[in-house]
Amino acid sequence: MIGAETAPALVGERQRERERDRAPVTRTPEPRPQRARRTARLVGTQLRSAPLTMLLLVVLWGVGAATGSLSGGPSERLLARAGVGVPTLAEGRWWTPLTSMFWCAGPGAYVFTSVLLLLVGPAAERRLGRRRTLVVLVGGQLAGTLLGTGLVAAGSRAGEQWTDSVVDQIAIGPGVGLFGLAGVLGYRLTVLWRRRLHLLVLLVPLVMMLYVGHLQSVQRCAAALLGLGAGALLSRGRLHLRSHRSSHTETRVLVALCLVAAAFGPLIASLYDNAAGPFNTFSELYFSHRLSPDEVADFCAMSAHDCARAHAVERIFDTPGRLMAALFPALLLVLAEGLRRGLRFAWRITVVTELLWVALLVWLYNDAGPVSGDVIQYFVEALLLPLLTTALLLATRQRFRLRLPGRAVRRLALVLGSAAAAASAAYAGLGVLVAGQFEPGATFRGLLNGLPAQFLPPAYNDLLPDYPIAVGPVARFLETYCGLAFWAVALSALLLAFRRPVVHADAAAAARARALLTAHGGGTLSFIATWDGNHYWFDEEGRAAVAYRVLNTVALTIGDPFGEPAARARAVAGFARYCDARGWTPCFYSVSRDTRAAAAQLGWRSVQVAEDTVVALPELAFTGRKWQDIRTALNKAGKQGITAEWWAYHEAPLALKDQIRSISEEWVSEKGLPEMGFTLGGLEELDDPDVRVLVAVDEQRVVHGLTSWMPVYEDGVPVGWTLDFMRRRSDGFRGVNEFLIASAALGFKEEGARFLSLSGAPLARSGQDEEPTGLQRMLDWMGRVLEPVYGFRSLLAFKAKFQPEYRPMYMAYPDPAALPSITRAIGKAYLPHLTAAQGVRLMRRLSG
């Protein structure tokens, strides 16, 4: 029989065992072979669960093999009987919109259609159901082919030259219906993939229509638009037309995708011998084409020199120099990577490139002399793409604020300058030594005139002044490789610069600050000092530091000073003197009572702006009535097979990262105002080796929510952890946030941590320990007004479930007269990407 004194000990031991069982598991990346096998099994499972897709794939290839269209395209007789177009519909073949979907125009079309079917079909069957998938696919095929064909016929009757050139075409292939299906499917995906899929559903057929211009591309574009419209009207039985705001990161991805589409359009059109799209008129200036025999003969009929230049251009396509033909698409693709990374440097180069393209077209128009109406139309159509791209870049310019370090820019300039100088010196200097291998004989001045031709694609040779033509082997070598070598170096250097992690403007100061923070620690928010965008002040002995940002001449700090405890209080006065010498107004934001007291000794004023919530860990036990909600969340998670896993974000699998991005994007899209920054981290702040990410996943590896935790150091080791990033899936486990925080607390307790901070909720506080001032009452009012948008007070109420200790966080400032400028600086720090329309919406909410 168990004694009375033994029973409590056994109960406590069982409680500790249960807590150990619930503690998170630390996960590491799977080995590559194991990951590949798991991916293959997942793909096989997806295909087995999509019988309709597999049936359609078998029917498509079976009909293709039976009719011979798989090897060389359908016969003219079959095309006329089963294909859809103005001629077949005019002859009364009403069945062709349906029969056209059972075969394709050739091997390449079969491969493209099969890939598209495998990408869209299984997802549609899973999200829409098999019957609805079939209805949407067939309906999209019928409606898209009829609408696209009707538009071409109407354009031809109106005298539009492009549509008149394709009015006699006949189209086949199920791609029309697949694009309509993809448009409907997007509304059943998460906000992240809905936006991406819809952009691709629009861009792919639109680029094909504008550059290739065939009847089928018009039909696909029509089906895509119909699918998007039908999906918006039918999604979940209600209108789904409300726009969703995208995060900064996702906006950059979408802009980069648009630039990729602009780069690939001419490349795709070059694969077609009879491309007739309206944007294809001047596509050779983007992607150079090989001269035809007739074009060479026309040049030779002009003069001997023009004939030599034409043959020189023709020879380029028989050498590695042909890569210069795709120079501009390659440059746009590299710049798209820079835009995806959010780099201001890439944004500026892209804008300059597009404006140079506009200037070139305007110059060509002015140089053409008197022109006809058709030629004017060609120029207008050609100008649309760069003008629209430039407008998009200007509209989203605030999203590209990341700057390359000055050292990286100088290194890049040195590499590009050296490569240009070396290539120029090789062509002009060595060319003089073999002057007899040029026609006419080359002089140094003549070779300098020929330098632009070495750095531009072949199509630009006609626009350049006369220069010596290479006829000898050494001269041809210089003509082929000098410009090619420069651009190989230049594009590689740009790509490497864009791909390197973006570091602080002063990387040395950032590394010094991190080392000081790790060695001696600071407040619960001090790790925010390691985020990009901060500047650093160090005291004379280098024993304490302050992280700050200068906004409108206000030096706004990030949390308390950090470093040696004895030096932190003195850092307040030292930083104040540093700001005064530069004409800045210092403001310590989200600081503790200790920093507030140090500022008060200087005669500063203060006001509470947030409230930190700290949970002590050594004696933490989820027992008693007050912990009922937490125990319920833990128990429900266990019953539903949901577990907590620790990950370092940069080591997490791609599938896990994608779900995290999707959950975050869904959260951002629901806000009427943009996501906040400054003391609130986002996805970019997750990618730090010292930040730990706790993810809630079920047995199917679906992510239900996540939290991120920043370390609080003391003597070189973490003694506490601060909550930063917290997101949950809208249709996931409802108690996932409670489950994640409780699991993190158990894990940190097991590791020996002393506390965890649930971080501060801005413009929210639990009580009024002091008589509120007029400024304090105004902040309380703003917190109430902004509650429906950002939910600061709801967040503070949620944190109360964990029975925390409440610690006020203050803003300390030297002069009440500076409050207007300090308020503007704080607003700009939290909402750096606030647009004019959002500003108006915010003011209406504040005044409502």
Side-chain angles (χ1 to χ4, degrees):
M1 184 173 180
I2 299 175
E5 70 280 358
T6 310
L10 287 178
V11 172
E13 181 63 28
R14 290 170 183 168
Q15 176 69 20
R16 286 191 290 272
E17 288 178 358
R18 285 196 296 269
E19 290 180 352
R20 281 196 294 270
D21 292 339
R22 292 167 175 167
V25 177
T26 301
R27 295 293 299 269
T28 56
E30 295 178 324
R32 184 172 296 180
Q34 183 178 349
R35 190 163 64 246
R37 288 194 295 270
R38 190 167 63 84
T39 302
R41 288 196 299 269
L42 180 62
V43 172
T45 302
Q46 294 291 334
L47 293 179
R48 285 193 298 271
S49 64
L52 177 61
T53 299
M54 301 309 297
L55 176 63
L56 292 174
L57 195 64
V58 170
V59 170
L60 179 67
W61 284 79
V63 172
T67 59
S69 58
L70 184 59
S71 56
S75 64
E76 292 293 334
R77 183 172 178 273
L78 179 60
L79 192 62
R81 295 288 300 175
V84 62
V86 175
T88 58
L89 292 176
E91 293 174 4
R93 294 171 185 163
W94 54 267
W95 59 85
T96 53
L98 180 62
T99 56
S100 64
M101 69 180 298
F102 292 106
W103 42 71
C104 299
Y110 274 98
V111 173
F112 172 78
T113 303
S114 299
V115 171
L116 184 61
L117 180 58
L118 290 174
L119 289 175
V120 176
E125 289 190 57
R126 186 170 61 255
R127 303 275 182 169
L128 301 175
R130 296 191 185 98
R131 181 179 301 176
R132 189 173 297 177
T133 297
L134 183 60
V135 170
V136 172
L137 177 63
V138 176
Q141 180 78 18
L142 297 176
T145 53
L146 290 174
L147 178 59
T149 306
L151 290 174
V152 169
S156 177
R157 284 195 296 269
E160 210 287 326
Q161 187 171 356
W162 157 50
T163 53
D164 190 59
S165 66
V166 298
V167 72
D168 293 330
Q169 290 184 356
I170 299 175
I172 56 173
V176 178
L178 287 174
F179 275 101
L181 177 62
V184 175
L185 171 64
Y187 289 97
R188 297 302 179 93
L189 304 180
T190 61
V191 172
L192 177 72
W193 284 105
R194 178 190 311 159
R195 187 182 293 114
R196 290 182 178 179
L197 180 59
H198 284 173
L199 182 64
L200 290 174
V201 165
L202 277 176
L203 281 181
V204 173
L206 186 63
V207 166
M208 294 291 290
M209 182 181 73
L210 294 176
Y211 281 98
V212 179
H214 290 174
L215 172 63
Q216 189 176 57
S217 62
V218 181
Q219 294 172 345
R220 288 174 177 173
C221 196
L225 293 174
L226 289 172
L228 292 173
L233 294 172
L234 300 176
S235 178
R236 300 172 187 173
R238 61 181 176 85
L239 285 174
H240 205 96
L241 298 175
R242 183 173 65 89
S243 62
H244 291 275
R245 178 176 176 81
S246 62
S247 64
H248 312 319
T249 302
E250 183 61 14
T251 299
R252 297 163 186 164
V253 171
L254 299 178
V255 173
L257 282 176
C258 292
L259 195 65
V260 168
F264 270 106
L267 293 177
I268 295 173
S270 68
L271 302 177
Y272 293 81
D273 295 331
N274 56 345
F279 280 14
N280 197 48
T281 307
F282 291 94
S283 64
E284 187 169 326
L285 297 178
Y286 264 118
F287 181 76
S288 302
H289 301 285
R290 187 167 191 157
L291 296 176
S292 66
D294 292 339
E295 290 173 326
V296 173
D298 291 339
F299 280 112
C300 289
M302 297 178 186
S303 67
H305 186 72
D306 289 332
C307 186
R309 287 178 66 166
H311 283 292
V313 172
E314 187 70 6
R315 284 195 302 269
I316 291 177
F317 288 90
D318 295 324
T319 69
R322 74 179 67 180
L323 296 175
M324 288 289 290
L327 171 61
F328 283 147
L331 177 61
L332 291 179
L333 292 176
V334 172
L335 292 175
E337 173 61 16
L339 294 178
R340 186 187 70 84
R341 305 273 293 180
L343 295 172
R344 172 68 72 169
F345 185 72
W347 181 88
R348 287 173 175 167
I349 298 178
T350 308
V351 170
V352 170
T353 302
E354 297 297 334
L355 292 178
L356 286 176
W357 172 251
V358 171
L360 173 64
L361 291 174
V362 172
W363 177 74
L364 288 174
Y365 174 77
N366 292 330
D367 192 58
V371 292
S372 63
D374 290 339
V375 175
I376 294 176
Q377 180 181 346
Y378 292 154
F379 276 98
V380 170
E381 292 170 346
L383 281 169
L384 282 176
L385 181 62
L387 289 177
L388 290 175
T389 304
T390 303
L392 176 64
L393 291 169
L394 293 176
T396 57
R397 63 189 181 279
Q398 295 299 325
R399 308 301 178 92
F400 304 95
R401 303 174 69 93
L402 300 182
R403 299 183 181 276
L404 286 176
R407 183 180 178 184
V409 174
R410 290 190 294 271
R411 186 189 304 119
L412 182 61
L414 179 62
V415 170
L416 296 182
S418 300
S424 301
Y427 178 76
L430 297 179
V432 170
L433 299 179
V434 291
Q437 295 189 19
F438 287 91
E439 178 64 38
T443 63
F444 184 73
R445 184 171 183 177
L447 291 171
L448 288 180
N449 290 335
L451 269 179
Q454 313 311 311
F455 297 102
L456 291 173
Y460 287 78
N461 280 10
D462 295 342
L463 309 178
L464 300 173
D466 290 341
Y467 58 88
I469 305 300
V471 293
V474 177
R476 288 181 179 177
F477 180 87
L478 296 175
E479 188 179 62
T480 300
Y481 291 103
C482 285
L484 183 63
F486 164 76
W487 280 109
V489 172
L491 293 179
S492 300
L494 280 173
L495 186 59
L496 287 175
F498 294 160
R499 292 287 296 172
R500 286 195 183 99
V502 178
V503 297
H504 292 273
D506 189 343
R512 182 184 175 191
R514 183 182 282 260
L516 189 65
L517 175 66
T518 303
H520 302 288
T524 55
L525 295 183
S526 291
F527 192 82
I528 297 176
T530 65
W531 292 357
D532 193 31
N534 296 327
H535 299 280
Y536 303 94
W537 171 86
F538 299 91
D539 65 2
E540 294 179 356
E541 295 87 11
R543 298 168 58 193
V546 172
Y548 67 95
R549 303 181 184 191
V550 179
L551 300 159
N552 301 329
T553 71
V554 174
L556 194 63
T557 72
I558 314 293
D560 296 295
F562 55 91
E564 295 183 17
R568 296 177 194 170
R570 296 194 301 270
V572 176
F575 181 70
R577 290 191 298 270
Y578 173 79
C579 294
D580 184 63
R582 286 156 180 78
W584 298 340
T585 300
C587 176
F588 280 86
Y589 190 80
S590 291
V591 296
S592 63
R593 285 191 174 99
D594 293 339
T595 303
R596 179 200 188 194
Q601 294 179 1
L602 302 177
W604 290 19
R605 301 192 181 189
S606 61
V607 64
Q608 183 178 345
V609 293
E611 197 152 48
D612 196 5
T613 45
V614 180
V615 179
L617 295 179
E619 304 300 325
L620 179 67
F622 299 130
T623 57
R625 181 177 299 177
K626 61 184 179 181
W627 293 102
Q628 181 61 47
D629 290 345
I630 308 304
R631 289 198 305 271
T632 300
L634 290 170
N635 293 332
K636 285 186 176 180
K639 292 177 182 178
Q640 297 183 23
I642 296 174
T643 57
E645 298 178 356
W646 285 117
W647 284 96
Y649 185 74
H650 66 282
E651 294 180 350
L654 183 61
L656 200 70
K657 287 183 179 179
D658 179 74
Q659 292 188 70
I660 290 174
R661 285 193 295 268
S662 180
I663 292 172
S664 178
E665 193 67 23
E666 184 178 28
W667 183 87
V668 171
S669 71
E670 295 174 352
K671 304 297 179 184
L673 295 173
E675 59 182 323
M676 302 183 78
F678 192 34
T679 61
L680 304 174
L683 283 176
E684 295 175 354
E685 284 70 35
L686 293 183
D687 198 6
D688 187 299
D690 294 330
V691 172
R692 298 177 66 177
V693 179
L694 187 61
V695 182
V697 296
D698 61 21
E699 296 172 347
Q700 286 74 41
R701 305 300 297 168
V702 174
V703 176
H704 288 253
L706 71 146
T707 56
S708 73
W709 299 86
M710 304 181 296
V712 182
Y713 293 103
E714 186 176 296
D715 297 328
V717 296
V719 296
W721 295 86
T722 300
L723 175 65
D724 176 34
F725 192 83
M726 182 168 64
R727 299 285 189 271
R728 63 179 294 270
R729 184 183 294 274
S730 61
D731 57 349
F733 171 52
R734 290 187 61 82
V736 67
N737 289 336
E738 292 90 337
F739 166 71
L740 283 169
I741 295 176
S743 299
L746 294 175
F748 291 139
K749 175 185 176 182
E750 193 173 290
E751 294 172 6
R754 297 204 304 261
F755 66 89
L756 62 81
S757 166
L758 301 183
S759 195
L763 301 179
R765 55 198 187 111
S766 59
Q768 296 182 354
D769 298 333
E770 303 174 0
E771 183 66 25
T773 63
L775 177 59
Q776 185 69 70
R777 284 192 289 268
M778 186 190 73
L779 293 177
D780 292 342
W781 169 76
M782 288 183 65
R784 290 193 300 270
V785 171
L786 291 177
E787 174 64 20
V789 181
Y790 289 113
F792 297 136
R793 297 187 171 209
S794 301
L795 180 62
L796 186 63
F798 164 78
K799 294 174 181 179
K801 296 180 180 181
F802 295 89
Q803 316 306 315
E805 174 192 352
Y806 294 98
R807 299 179 182 177
M809 306 181 79
Y810 300 94
M811 178 183 75
Y813 55 97
D815 184 5
L819 278 175
S821 59
I822 291 174
T823 303
R824 289 195 300 270
I826 294 174
K828 190 172 182 179
Y830 271 116
L831 297 170
H833 304 287
L834 186 71
T835 64
Q838 292 163 347
V840 171
R841 191 181 309 134
L842 176 61
M843 294 306 297
R844 286 177 178 173
R845 185 173 293 277
L846 292 175
S847 60

